[in-house]
Amino acid sequence: MINIHVQILLTILFWNSDCQIIPRIKECGLSCSQGIHCKSKPSSGVFNSFCHDAPASLPSMVLKSMKISTVMKCAQGSPCSLHLNIKGALSLDENIRGLEICSLSLDTQQSQCVNVRFARKKSKMLNGKKVQIQFNCIEVNVAQHIYVTVKTVPNYCEVKLSQEYYVEDCRNSDVGKYIPACSAGKFDYNVDRARKIISVNVSNFLRDQDYYIRLCHKWFTCEDVGAFAVIKGKESLKSVSLKYSQLLPCLCIEGWLAIPDARRIQLCPFENDTKALWDNIVYNPVTQTLAWEPACPVLVMVNLCRLMKSNDYCEDIQNSSRSSPEKQVKYSRVDTHPRLCMKFTTKQGSWVKCPFAHGEFPAWKMRTAAVAEQIQVFFTSQTKAQFSVFVCNRTQLASCESLGMHHSVSVGDSVSIAMSREMCGSTFCIQGWRTDVDYSVPLQICDIHCGFRGQTYSDGNPTKGMAHRMKSVHSLH
């Protein structure tokens, strides 16, 4: 329960930070309370870097406090900029002539310092009084990590205040809207599918600043696809050409200014090009494993299915459904028959891929011959295989109800099945499938014409001179 409260608190804090409005100033400056006249001038920080022992009369808490925030300077006709707003409290003392305020960028190790001096006569009159000082002329960059120190002048040892501070980044709505460094730019692109090149033109970004462009595959983060390109800020041409290997729905164009923690803009123009996702099917003949791995994250239902010869419909094979947002789908001990396929179903529709349809792997065939009151069933295959066969009644296109016992058959052998006259018709079929694998397509030979008392039938008409009729189911190519 405590963890939940902490997470909620952190979420609120981050939300407030992103939505916080940055106070505006028209001009930066220095101000002191109590009617103290103070002025500032830039300092190198070198002359006040060595400290001295403090006089015994100097109070230990002469520097009371320091608070740092960010302000935004927006002058008419100029872009807005960010500045540190440093507020401090000091007890005036005759041994202190002023303060030195320094900021050090922990990202670049660059420092800025300023000396704040008080009018000596006025400060002596208010000796021991607390004075508030505010200074907001130190300009900073977006998302900078700053270390601020306030020392006395002269620099008395162990009499100073220091604080780390993080400047708001482009996620802050106010900073993102008004600070030029947060302008991520605008893309125009053109795709040359023949050469597999995407040409990108960038506009609306900070002048004289370099700009990075890359292609990436968007998963949880956007992962690199090749090296990024650089558009030089000083060059007039603001376009680059990026090569790609395959147009995928997660292929995105990403761009950002060449500054620390710059806002990135992404354009993913191929989100509807899902066709290429279904090509990454691999079969391992040693382990008889059929696998598919998505090149992009996609919500998809995967099934093995049997391609029907009559209308190109693919009937799902039982117990083969898999859902895969981003992981590999794998089927072990798979039949390599040309009509065994993979079906991919998303919200946009279904796609069927038949990895064995081109005859690169051995396939099996089933034949029947009608002799007297029996049907003889043969299986042929280039590899060793075991089969099962039965008679069924096809009540629907993809449903065939068993009418008798199952018969086991090996390659090269045959099995005879007794057939009654009632079983010889258009709705009755002989169905066979492999039993030595986990996933096999059932093949059917239907509209069986049986031969009784020396006659055979073709399309329901008796034909003389025919001892039996043969039917075959062949591979689809």
Side-chain angles (χ1 to χ4, degrees):
M1 195 67 179
I2 294 175
N3 288 337
I4 295 174
H5 289 158
V6 170
Q7 289 175 2
I8 293 172
L9 179 61
L10 288 174
T11 302
I12 293 172
L13 289 173
F14 282 118
W15 184 87
N16 286 337
S17 141
D18 290 348
C19 299
Q20 182 183 3
I21 295 175
I22 307 297
R24 303 295 197 273
I25 59 172
K26 291 183 178 179
E27 295 291 338
C28 71
L30 170 70
S31 64
C32 296
S33 66
Q34 299 286 359
I36 296 290
H37 176 70
C38 54
K39 59 182 179 179
S40 64
K41 67 176 182 178
S43 167
S44 65
V46 175
F47 296 107
N48 201 46
S49 59
F50 300 102
C51 67
H52 311 278
D53 292 334
S57 61
L58 187 70
S60 59
M61 297 293 292
V62 65
L63 291 177
K64 297 289 186 181
S65 63
M66 177 173 62
K67 184 179 180 181
I68 305 171
S69 61
T70 308
V71 292
M72 188 181 296
K73 178 183 175 184
C74 296
Q76 189 173 4
S78 300
C80 294
S81 57
L82 296 178
H83 294 253
L84 290 182
N85 185 43
I86 302 170
K87 293 181 179 180
L90 168 74
S91 292
L92 292 176
D93 189 275
E94 61 181 356
N95 295 300
I96 296 176
R97 300 194 302 270
L99 295 176
E100 182 185 67
I101 303 172
C102 289
S103 70
L104 171 68
S105 171
L106 298 179
D107 304 310
T108 63
Q109 296 301 307
Q110 292 181 340
S111 62
Q112 301 178 63
C113 293
V114 62
N115 269 342
V116 177
R117 296 297 180 110
F118 308 121
R120 293 184 63 85
K121 291 182 180 180
K122 188 73 173 177
S123 61
K124 283 184 178 180
M125 292 173 57
L126 296 172
N127 192 30
K129 296 291 184 179
K130 183 179 177 181
V131 61
Q132 300 285 344
I133 302 165
Q134 180 174 352
F135 182 70
N136 54 23
C137 284
I138 296 178
E139 186 172 351
V140 290
N141 294 326
V142 172
Q144 252 191 311
H145 186 189
I146 303 292
Y147 185 72
V148 177
T149 57
V150 177
K151 303 176 184 177
T152 58
V153 178
N155 182 5
Y156 293 121
C157 299
E158 299 182 4
V159 183
K160 73 173 184 177
L161 296 174
S162 60
Q163 184 178 331
E164 287 187 44
Y165 182 74
Y166 289 88
V167 182
E168 289 82 353
D169 59 25
C170 295
R171 290 175 298 182
N172 178 283
S173 57
D174 216 20
V175 173
K177 186 175 181 180
Y178 294 105
I179 299 302
C182 289
S183 175
K186 182 181 177 182
F187 292 155
D188 293 309
Y189 72 95
N190 183 60
V191 182
D192 186 339
R193 293 177 183 262
R195 297 168 58 203
K196 292 190 174 183
I197 289 177
I198 300 175
S199 300
V200 184
N201 185 66
V202 185
S203 58
N204 295 353
F205 69 93
L206 197 61
R207 189 179 302 174
D208 297 331
Q209 183 68 55
D210 291 351
Y211 195 89
Y212 295 142
I213 292 280
R214 69 167 182 165
L215 294 180
C216 57
H217 284 162
K218 190 171 183 178
W219 291 77
F220 181 73
T221 59
C222 219
E223 299 176 358
D224 278 327
V225 181
F228 60 83
V230 182
I231 296 177
K232 293 294 184 180
K234 295 181 180 179
E235 295 177 357
S236 58
L237 185 65
K238 306 296 184 184
S239 62
V240 292
S241 294
L242 303 169
K243 291 187 70 68
Y244 67 88
S245 59
Q246 196 174 24
L247 286 183
L248 295 168
C250 61
L251 182 65
C252 301
I253 307 165
E254 187 176 68
W256 68 99
L257 284 169
I259 60 174
D261 299 306
R263 171 183 284 179
R264 300 191 178 203
I265 184 173
Q266 287 179 357
L267 180 64
C268 305
F270 314 110
E271 290 178 333
N272 294 325
D273 292 356
T274 57
K275 185 179 178 181
L277 285 180
W278 325 126
D279 292 334
N280 193 24
I281 301 174
V282 178
Y283 177 71
N284 186 331
V286 177
T287 60
Q288 294 180 292
T289 300
L290 186 66
W292 171 79
E293 188 168 0
C296 289
V298 59
L299 291 173
V300 60
M301 181 65 70
V302 184
N303 284 85
L304 294 180
C305 60
R306 173 180 60 144
L307 188 64
M308 308 298 287
K309 195 173 183 181
S310 56
N311 60 356
D312 289 335
Y313 170 74
C314 205
E315 177 199 6
D316 290 346
I317 295 176
Q318 289 185 350
N319 303 320
S320 68
S321 294
R322 305 283 190 275
S323 61
S324 171
E326 57 187 51
K327 295 182 180 179
Q328 185 186 61
V329 173
K330 186 181 292 185
Y331 297 97
S332 58
R333 287 166 41 92
V334 174
D335 183 8
T336 58
H337 196 279
R339 286 165 66 178
L340 187 142
C341 307
M342 293 185 85
K343 183 195 292 185
F344 304 91
T345 304
T346 69
K347 290 181 179 179
Q348 286 73 36
S350 292
W351 293 262
V352 174
K353 292 288 183 178
C354 301
F356 310 117
H358 302 292
E360 298 173 357
F361 296 93
W364 56 273
K365 297 178 183 178
M366 181 174 69
R367 298 180 301 153
T368 63
V371 181
E373 295 183 2
Q374 290 191 333
I375 295 293
Q376 210 165 11
V377 185
F378 305 86
F379 290 93
T380 58
S381 174
Q382 297 179 22
T383 59
K384 290 183 178 180
Q386 295 291 323
F387 301 90
S388 188
V389 63
F390 62 71
V391 179
C392 60
N393 184 11
R394 187 171 61 182
T395 55
Q396 298 176 6
L397 177 64
S399 177
C400 205
E401 184 179 347
S402 175
L403 296 177
M405 63 180 296
H406 293 211
H407 303 271
S408 297
V409 191
S410 299
V411 172
D413 295 335
S414 64
V415 64
S416 296
I417 301 176
M419 300 287 288
S420 65
R421 188 181 298 274
E422 291 77 15
M423 296 170 66
C424 298
S426 59
T427 65
F428 293 94
C429 305
I430 301 293
Q431 178 168 299
W433 69 96
R434 281 185 66 176
T435 56
D436 59 334
V437 292
D438 293 335
Y439 301 97
S440 176
V441 290
L443 299 187
Q444 294 171 355
I445 299 176
C446 301
D447 192 17
I448 300 169
H449 293 265
C450 308
F452 294 99
R453 296 186 176 88
Q455 291 184 334
T456 60
Y457 291 82
S458 175
D459 297 328
N461 297 319
T463 304
K464 295 181 180 180
M466 291 184 64
H468 59 271
R469 176 177 175 171
M470 302 286 292
K471 287 192 175 183
S472 297
V473 175
H474 299 284
S475 302
L476 292 180
H477 296 287

